[in-house]
Amino acid sequence: APAPAPAPAPAPSSYSDQEIAQAIASAGKTCAMTALEDPSINKGMAFTKEHRKMLCLQGLLPPTSFPLETEEQRALLQLNSCPTPLDKYIYLMGLQDRNETLFYRLVVDHITDIMPLIYTPTVGEACQKYGHIFQRPRGMYISIEDMGSVKSILSNWPSKKVDVVVITDGERILGLGDLGTYGMGIPVGKLNLYTACGGINPDRCLPITVDVGTNTQSLIDDPYYTGLKQPRVRGEKYMEFMEEVLIGLHEHFPGVLIQFEDFGNTTAFELLEKYRHRICTFNDDIQGTASVTLAGLLSATRMKGTKLKDELFLFNGAGEAGTGIADLIVEELVAEGMPKDEAKRRCWLVDSKGLVVQSRLHELQHHKIPYAHEYPEQIKDFAEAVRKLKPTGIIGVSAQSGAFSKEIIELMAELNERPIIFPLSNPTSKAECTAEEAIKYTKGKVLFASGSPFPAMEYEGKRFVPGQGNNAYIFPGVGLGAVLGGLKHVTDGMLRIAAQAVADTVTPEDIAVNCLYPPLTKIRAVSAKIALMVIEEAKRENLATKDVSCIEDVQKNMYANPGAAMDFPISNIIRKADAGYGVLRNPVLNHGLSFSIEERKRLNIHGLLPPAVRSFPDEAKRIQAQLDRIQRPLDKYIFLMELQNRNETLFYRLVVDHITDIMPLIYTPTVGEACQKYGHIFQRPRGMYISIEDMGSVKSILSNWPSKKVDVVVITDGERILGLGDLGTYGMGIPVGKLNLYTACGGINPDRCLPITVDVGTNTQSLIDDPYYTGLKQPRVRGEKYMEFMEEVLIGLHEHFPGVLIQFEDFGNTTAFELLEKYRHRICTFNDDIQGTASVTLAGLLSATRMKGTKLKDELFLFNGAGEAGTGIADLIVEELVAEGMPKDEAKRRCWLVDSKGLVVQSRLHELQHHKIPYAHEYPEQIKDFAEAVRKLKPTGIIGVSAQSGAFSKEIIELMAELNERPIIFPLSNPTSKAECTAEEAIKYTKGKVLFASGSPFPAMEYEGKRFVPGQGNNAYIFPGVGLGAVLGGLKHVTDGMLRIAAQAVADTVTPEDIAVNCLYPPLTKIRAVSAKIALMVIEEAKKEKLASRLEVQSEEQVKQEMYDPAY
């Protein structure tokens, strides 16, 4: 007797705190990262506070927990922003790789819109470009070269229980032909539908591509092809290999259902016949297509008021799909009482040579012979066959677009009151006709179904919703029945029953809009019904080993509404933290397709990657090509952050090799837009978030960071992000981007970098109102409590990571100065906005004076803006002037500031913030306007740090050119939209006299026959080298003297070639060499100041040897 069905998976409450603690202890410190990196475990922002504490995730996610519904809304927003269906496909596959629960929730709730993206028609384009869009492997690849060791390879699959395998050899992918391993998109997409539509547990699904070569020359020539570049193996060796694979699966995963998918015609029939009675298997192209087509035909006859026995069907195409459909029609007719020979004559086939008839028996493939009927003449043309045979229905399985011509469709309407027209070929581009053509040319009489979706339309006041004869109506339910019923085999009788189940769910509402199938929104209910009917049929055929007797039993055993329960499979946490699968999920360890075969075997990942092995440079080229096809800078930013989350080495190789193009994407200006939309584009967390609510437990939270050695921390409270204001936790993009540059430009080991956002609230109302804001929705905490909290954070970092350099970033003006002054002599720290900006600006000014043939002491600078950046620059200019021999008071008078209230002067002392007072000079009048200040003070250089676009007007720029032979104009505000003027404006309005530098990049240009390459005063020229020096020299503190030395080092690297194109900085392509030079000079300065604890670094060569180089 059949055994009882398995009990539902235990609810989260089934796991005690002790069991969870033991599981985490078993997984070790990798548990937290495993929970975030493994898509079957990761819940993203939907992890509750309790879950975060349980899994050591506190601090590794933004403070706010979102319900799954909000996470779904955000994902849908991101999906809808993708410009093309292929981009949407790539996004969805990325989502599945991050958060399986969220992916399936999205698919289930939006099945009508998303099914065409994750399966046909979009999957067809994805398969054709699979190697070009490849990001992370899914499923298993088993190559003919693995023959003899298949069982060993199967043991590398991380799930020990698999319910459903979808397997292909890629020979006949949809209607696109032999795509080899590029066909993996089909098993992946198919199993996504098994889960979304049929409720099969995704952790028990296994997509497999067997690689026996390809006969498609374009793939052999494709540099990114992922499979064996050899002709297909056929014959006895092929069948021996498939025997090893299929029996290996059957034995390794007892009870597994194996679905054949997109094999070549001959192979498909041969494999099905050989194994259908040995293992639990079926072929969806033959049997699934047949079943869903039969369902449509049964609906059509009901709408016509006829019986199936009254119909005559003519097939355009005689491959596995065509003969499979015909076989099931015959099965149904026989079940209704018709003799089999008579039933067969209801189905006629046309292949590439014409009508399949008895006179052609000698040339026919085996599967066509049952439908080779007697006919007095040879018909070569499908239209002629329609005229002669007068079918009531035509079924297209030829993959020939337009095969159902206007003539043929009109002829069908002439012959029949309600002609049945089913163009079933996939993808849409291969459909024999469109829905619009069928409806229009039959004048609305048609009963229509297609393989790919077509949009609803109106015709003569009547609404038509074209039915899609999608196999997804069938195979998920059949699969579910096979799993729950423990089926030994899948029979044609079961597929016939499945077709009836689908037809029975078509309602009067569906009929009213001429639709032959139920809406996709009901597909899970349809699958449950099919599963129960399949199990009942299996019992009748004595092929069920488990008993399920009612629809409620089926439904409770379906993979529940994804995310309804936040269930943590504890065994997964332990298992997936281990080697093998975990290597591919770890961005530090993952080498992708560059793993050699020997490495794959040693790491137990053989079979988890496509067979091709690529060199690191080739992989970098492929990824660069993916980046280049993306149009919008923000989308490029998102792509690069996801690349970093998959393969850190490859990410940094790309950045280092293309620093000029990529720096503006991972940092300013693009990072500004990314921060403004951070909650909306959020996909995966990076770094740590420490909230004011964590006060008192910061040390415990810091212990959750997986790296025990951290060299550099970049920390922000998000109050003053670039020139964009208070962005709260949305500001995390800045520490992340900054540390990317520490690594790419300064060679700091990325595994020793830690971005941190401290969350003390936000005063930006739009963030409080933003449903996706990731931080505390409360006003900013200030004053004593704030400083106590920062003390706990900063001293906690200093003690937990001894010797760490802590860089302050984008704090509010007052806070920035207060924190810098309080901690600069207690820990190793500096503020890049104050000191880094100062240093890179000083470097530009030193270059400018050399180009002018003057000295710094000869210049007078007027600042538009008097915040941390402005006064920081002024301080370092003074430091340099004093070092050159000028008295300090005199040096200060070389710098004048204009703030929002006008010129900073002595008469305003009572209202000035502390940091402005050193630059409040005596002046006989109060100047309110920057232009007026330029006229009165006659500066040689103006420096913009106001974040006011256009503050350097045409009038001001022309005035500067009038006052100076070579005016210095530095609009330094970020991002580009906040720059005080553009490079073009400065060059044009000064008639090419300007010495220009900006905070964000501007393109090179020609002016009156002269080339200008605007220098970008990017802090990246400074902080990576300073950081490298601090790490290698074991610096106790970072002083202004070191930053002054860094500025000199940058200025010294400006060459005559740079000067020739009016550029004040070296090209970014030299930035790693510049950083090495700065690091050595900083260490030497630290030795002089007795602040270096490591003395062994003596040369630039030694520095370069210590720098991280992204390579495998």
Side-chain angles (χ1 to χ4, degrees):
S13 57
S14 300
Y15 300 119
S16 69
D17 289 345
Q18 184 178 2
E19 286 176 311
I20 292 166
Q22 287 172 348
I24 292 169
S26 299
K29 284 297 183 181
T30 57
C31 176
M33 296 314 293
T34 299
L36 292 175
E37 289 169 357
D38 189 286
S40 67
I41 302 168
N42 181 30
K43 304 292 185 275
M45 296 286 289
F47 277 121
T48 65
K49 288 184 178 180
E50 293 74 20
H51 296 141
R52 297 179 190 203
K53 187 174 181 181
M54 175 197 310
L55 296 170
C56 302
L57 291 173
Q58 288 172 301
L60 301 182
L61 287 158
T64 303
S65 290
F66 290 126
L68 192 61
E69 291 73 19
T70 302
E71 286 290 87
E72 181 183 5
Q73 290 165 8
R74 186 205 337 252
L76 191 61
L77 188 74
Q78 294 173 2
L79 175 65
N80 289 336
S81 73
C82 297
T84 69
L86 183 62
D87 291 310
K88 292 178 191 287
Y89 174 90
I90 293 168
Y91 170 82
L92 287 164
M93 293 303 99
L95 176 60
Q96 186 176 16
D97 280 331
R98 291 192 305 276
N99 187 329
E100 201 165 67
T101 299
L102 184 56
F103 167 79
Y104 283 114
R105 177 66 176 266
L106 197 68
V107 177
V108 168
D109 288 352
H110 304 275
I111 189 70
T112 305
D113 296 326
I114 292 181
M115 187 186 288
L117 299 173
I118 61 173
Y119 205 63
T120 181
T122 310
V123 74
E125 182 183 3
C127 285
Q128 290 174 301
K129 300 174 180 176
Y130 210 70
H132 298 252
I133 66 172
F134 178 85
Q135 294 184 353
R136 197 195 289 274
R138 293 194 69 81
M140 297 199 80
Y141 295 81
I142 305 176
S143 157
I144 191 79
E145 295 183 350
D146 300 320
M147 199 167 172
S149 58
V150 169
K151 284 188 178 180
S152 171
I153 289 170
L154 290 175
S155 68
N156 289 338
W157 186 247
S159 296
K160 299 311 166 193
K161 171 64 176 169
V162 170
D163 288 332
V164 182
V165 166
V166 175
I167 188 169
T168 187
D169 71 354
E171 188 175 2
R172 199 197 61 83
I173 296 298
L174 301 175
L176 303 169
D178 179 356
L179 296 186
T181 56
Y182 275 13
M184 179 56 104
I186 299 297
V188 168
K190 213 81 174 194
L191 284 165
N192 287 339
L193 299 183
Y194 267 103
T195 297
C197 305
I200 303 291
N201 186 330
D203 203 42
R204 295 186 172 188
C205 292
L206 173 53
I208 294 181
T209 292
V210 290
D211 184 8
V212 295
T214 178
N215 292 336
T216 302
Q217 190 59 44
S218 61
L219 295 181
I220 302 291
D221 298 336
D222 183 347
Y224 304 130
Y225 181 59
T226 54
L228 299 176
K229 292 192 172 186
Q230 64 179 44
R232 279 188 171 271
V233 173
R234 298 196 184 278
E236 187 177 343
K237 186 176 179 181
Y238 176 91
M239 294 306 290
E240 286 177 8
F241 173 56
M242 290 305 300
E243 170 82 5
E244 184 181 358
V245 172
L246 296 170
I247 300 305
L249 286 166
H250 177 66
E251 292 176 352
H252 191 76
F253 303 114
V256 67
L257 167 67
I258 301 173
Q259 183 214 297
F260 294 115
E261 184 71 26
D262 285 357
F263 285 77
N265 282 340
T266 302
T267 311
F269 285 104
E270 191 172 351
L271 289 172
L272 183 60
E273 286 308 307
K274 183 174 182 179
Y275 292 100
R276 67 190 303 174
H277 301 301
R278 291 177 63 192
I279 60 178
C280 186
T281 188
F282 76 104
N283 184 305
D284 188 55
D285 305 300
I286 299 172
Q287 297 163 287
T289 302
S291 184
V292 78
T293 304
L294 177 59
L297 295 175
L298 292 174
S299 293
T301 57
R302 292 172 190 177
M303 288 175 74
K304 287 175 70 173
T306 62
K307 298 287 186 184
L308 196 65
K309 66 181 181 180
D310 303 320
E311 308 297 330
L312 182 73
F313 301 108
L314 179 63
F315 290 76
N316 189 326
E320 56 190 289
T323 54
I325 295 167
D327 286 347
L328 205 63
I329 290 173
V330 169
E331 181 95 9
E332 177 67 20
L333 289 170
V334 169
E336 291 178 8
M338 184 180 285
K340 192 165 188 176
D341 285 344
E342 183 180 346
K344 285 181 182 176
R345 287 189 62 83
R346 299 293 179 181
C347 298
W348 293 72
L349 312 182
V350 173
D351 64 11
S352 59
K353 295 183 179 179
L355 190 65
V356 173
V357 291
Q358 282 283 310
S359 60
R360 291 179 55 203
L361 276 180
H362 63 285
E363 66 181 20
L364 292 177
Q365 292 168 291
H366 179 73
H367 62 275
K368 300 179 186 179
I369 292 175
Y371 300 99
H373 307 307
E374 288 286 352
Y375 198 77
E377 58 183 294
Q378 180 56 55
I379 297 175
K380 298 286 188 182
D381 177 60
F382 187 75
E384 185 183 359
V386 173
R387 281 192 293 272
K388 294 288 177 68
L389 296 175
K390 297 180 174 55
T392 58
I394 54 175
I395 298 171
V397 283
S398 65
Q400 294 178 1
S401 175
F404 292 172
S405 63
K406 180 182 179 185
E407 174 198 357
I408 289 170
I409 296 170
E410 289 178 338
L411 181 57
M412 284 296 295
E414 182 183 318
L415 294 169
N416 300 278
E417 181 59 33
R418 298 299 305 274
I420 296 170
I421 299 177
F422 281 19
L424 298 180
S425 292
N426 280 315
T428 312
S429 60
K430 300 289 185 178
E432 287 76 10
C433 70
T434 67
E436 183 177 7
E437 290 166 344
I439 293 165
K440 181 179 173 183
Y441 298 149
T442 64
K443 297 184 176 163
K445 295 162 61 177
V446 71
L447 292 163
F448 179 90
S450 58
S452 286
F454 286 103
M457 63 175 285
E458 299 282 333
Y459 180 79
E460 294 188 355
K462 195 171 182 181
R463 183 165 174 76
F464 289 80
V465 177
Q468 184 188 357
N470 194 320
N471 294 23
Y473 282 110
I474 300 295
F475 64 79
V478 172
L480 182 61
V483 171
L484 298 184
L487 269 58
K488 298 175 184 177
H489 309 298
V490 175
T491 65
D492 285 340
M494 297 173 195
L495 289 152
R496 185 174 59 79
I497 291 294
Q500 293 173 359
V502 174
D504 288 346
T505 58
V506 176
T507 65
E509 290 77 18
D510 303 322
I511 293 170
V513 291
N514 298 278
C515 191
L516 302 182
Y517 294 96
L520 286 174
T521 51
K522 295 180 180 178
I523 200 162
R524 284 173 71 91
V526 172
S527 293
K529 180 172 183 173
I530 289 174
L532 183 62
M533 291 177 69
V534 162
I535 293 168
E536 292 299 322
E537 176 65 18
K539 290 176 188 176
R540 285 192 287 273
E541 298 182 32
N542 294 318
L543 293 175
T545 63
K546 299 175 185 176
D547 185 26
V548 175
S549 56
C550 66
I551 197 73
E552 290 76 18
D553 286 342
V554 172
Q555 290 171 336
K556 76 180 181 183
N557 281 289
M558 293 173 74
Y559 177 67
N561 183 16
M566 299 294 284
D567 185 16
F568 296 101
I570 296 302
S571 60
N572 283 7
I573 296 177
I574 298 170
R575 165 171 52 79
K576 295 186 176 181
D578 293 338
Y581 182 89
V583 170
L584 296 176
R585 288 284 158 194
N586 187 316
V588 178
L589 302 177
N590 181 27
H591 296 175
L593 291 176
S594 295
F595 278 119
S596 68
I597 297 298
E598 293 72 22
E599 287 173 323
R600 298 179 190 197
K601 289 178 178 177
R602 179 167 53 83
L603 294 168
N604 298 321
I605 57 174
H606 192 42
L608 303 183
L609 287 160
V613 175
R614 287 219 191 90
S615 70
F616 190 37
D618 285 346
E619 277 295 85
K621 286 178 189 174
R622 184 176 66 84
I623 295 299
Q624 180 65 47
Q626 290 183 6
L627 179 64
D628 289 343
R629 68 173 285 275
I630 301 171
Q631 298 299 311
R632 298 179 298 195
L634 183 62
D635 292 329
K636 290 178 185 282
Y637 173 89
I638 294 168
F639 171 84
L640 288 164
M641 292 302 100
E642 274 300 282
L643 173 62
Q644 186 176 15
N645 287 329
R646 290 195 310 273
N647 187 327
E648 197 165 70
T649 309
L650 188 54
F651 166 79
Y652 281 114
R653 183 77 270 156
L654 201 68
V655 178
V656 168
D657 290 348
H658 303 275
I659 189 69
T660 305
D661 297 327
I662 292 180
M663 187 186 288
L665 299 174
I666 62 173
Y667 204 63
T668 181
T670 309
V671 75
E673 183 183 1
C675 286
Q676 289 175 302
K677 300 174 180 177
Y678 209 70
H680 297 249
I681 66 172
F682 179 87
Q683 294 185 355
R684 195 192 296 269
R686 291 196 71 81
M688 296 200 81
Y689 295 81
I690 304 175
S691 156
I692 191 79
E693 294 183 350
D694 300 320
M695 200 168 172
S697 58
V698 169
K699 284 188 179 180
S700 170
I701 288 171
L702 289 175
S703 69
N704 288 339
W705 187 246
S707 296
K708 296 307 151 198
K709 173 63 177 168
V710 170
D711 288 332
V712 182
V713 166
V714 175
I715 188 168
T716 187
D717 71 354
E719 188 175 3
R720 198 197 61 85
I721 296 298
L722 302 174
L724 303 169
D726 179 357
L727 296 186
T729 55
Y730 275 13
M732 179 55 105
I734 299 298
V736 168
K738 213 81 175 196
L739 283 165
N740 286 340
L741 299 183
Y742 267 103
T743 297
C745 305
I748 305 291
N749 187 329
D751 202 39
R752 295 186 171 189
C753 293
L754 173 53
I756 294 180
T757 292
V758 290
D759 184 8
V760 295
T762 178
N763 292 336
T764 302
Q765 189 59 44
S766 61
L767 295 181
I768 303 291
D769 298 336
D770 183 347
Y772 305 122
Y773 180 58
T774 53
L776 300 176
K777 293 192 173 186
Q778 64 180 45
R780 280 189 171 271
V781 173
R782 298 196 183 278
E784 187 177 344
K785 186 176 181 181
Y786 175 91
M787 293 306 290
E788 286 176 8
F789 173 55
M790 290 306 299
E791 171 82 5
E792 184 182 358
V793 171
L794 296 170
I795 299 306
L797 285 166
H798 178 66
E799 293 176 351
H800 192 75
F801 303 114
V804 68
L805 167 66
I806 301 173
Q807 183 214 297
F808 294 115
E809 184 70 26
D810 286 356
F811 285 78
N813 282 340
T814 303
T815 311
F817 285 104
E818 192 172 351
L819 289 171
L820 182 60
E821 287 308 308
K822 183 174 181 181
Y823 292 100
R824 67 189 304 175
H825 301 301
R826 292 176 63 191
I827 60 178
C828 186
T829 188
F830 77 103
N831 184 304
D832 188 55
D833 305 300
I834 299 172
Q835 297 163 286
T837 302
S839 184
V840 78
T841 305
L842 177 59
L845 295 174
L846 292 173
S847 294
T849 56
R850 291 172 190 176
M851 289 176 72
K852 288 175 70 173
T854 63
K855 299 287 187 184
L856 196 64
K857 66 181 181 179
D858 303 321
E859 307 297 329
L860 182 72
F861 301 108
L862 179 63
F863 291 77
N864 188 328
E868 55 190 289
T871 55
I873 295 167
D875 288 346
L876 205 62
I877 291 172
V878 169
E879 182 93 10
E880 178 67 20
L881 288 170
V882 169
E884 292 179 7
M886 183 180 285
K888 192 166 188 176
D889 285 345
E890 184 180 344
K892 286 180 182 176
R893 287 188 64 84
R894 299 292 181 181
C895 298
W896 293 73
L897 311 182
V898 173
D899 64 11
S900 59
K901 295 183 180 178
L903 190 65
V904 172
V905 291
Q906 282 283 309
S907 60
R908 292 179 55 204
L909 277 179
H910 64 284
E911 67 181 21
L912 293 177
Q913 292 169 289
H914 179 73
H915 61 276
K916 300 179 186 179
I917 291 173
Y919 300 99
H921 306 309
E922 288 286 353
Y923 198 77
E925 58 182 295
Q926 180 57 54
I927 297 175
K928 297 285 189 183
D929 177 61
F930 187 74
E932 185 184 358
V934 173
R935 281 191 293 272
K936 295 287 179 68
L937 296 175
K938 298 180 173 54
T940 59
I942 54 175
I943 298 171
V945 284
S946 65
Q948 294 179 2
S949 176
F952 292 172
S953 64
K954 180 183 179 186
E955 173 198 357
I956 290 170
I957 296 169
E958 289 178 339
L959 181 56
M960 284 296 295
E962 182 184 317
L963 293 170
N964 300 279
E965 181 58 32
R966 298 298 305 275
I968 296 169
I969 299 178
F970 282 19
L972 299 180
S973 293
N974 281 316
T976 313
S977 61
K978 300 289 184 177
E980 287 78 8
C981 70
T982 67
E984 184 178 6
E985 289 167 344
I987 293 165
K988 181 179 174 183
Y989 298 150
T990 63
K991 298 191 164 98
K993 294 162 62 177
V994 70
L995 292 163
F996 179 90
S998 59
S1000 285
F1002 286 103
M1005 64 174 284
E1006 300 281 333
Y1007 179 79
E1008 294 189 354
K1010 195 172 181 181
R1011 183 165 173 77
F1012 288 80
V1013 177
Q1016 184 189 357
N1018 194 320
N1019 294 24
Y1021 282 111
I1022 301 295
F1023 65 79
V1026 171
L1028 182 62
V1031 171
L1032 297 184
L1035 269 58
K1036 298 174 184 176
H1037 309 299
V1038 176
T1039 65
D1040 285 341
M1042 297 172 195
L1043 290 152
R1044 184 173 61 78
I1045 292 293
Q1048 292 173 359
V1050 174
D1052 288 346
T1053 59
V1054 176
T1055 65
E1057 291 77 16
D1058 302 323
I1059 292 170
V1061 291
N1062 299 278
C1063 190
L1064 302 182
Y1065 294 96
L1068 285 174
T1069 52
K1070 296 180 179 178
I1071 199 162
R1072 283 174 71 89
V1074 172
S1075 294
K1077 183 182 180 78
I1078 289 173
L1080 182 63
M1081 292 178 69
V1082 163
I1083 292 169
E1084 292 300 322
E1085 177 66 19
K1087 290 176 184 176
K1088 292 175 193 171
E1089 300 182 31
K1090 301 192 182 315
L1091 293 174
S1093 63
R1094 291 178 59 192
L1095 307 177
E1096 58 267 29
V1097 177
Q1098 304 286 337
S1099 68
E1100 279 188 43
E1101 192 56 38
Q1102 282 180 283
V1103 171
K1104 289 176 181 177
Q1105 287 174 358
E1106 295 286 338
M1107 293 171 73
Y1108 167 82
D1109 181 38
Y1112 296 146

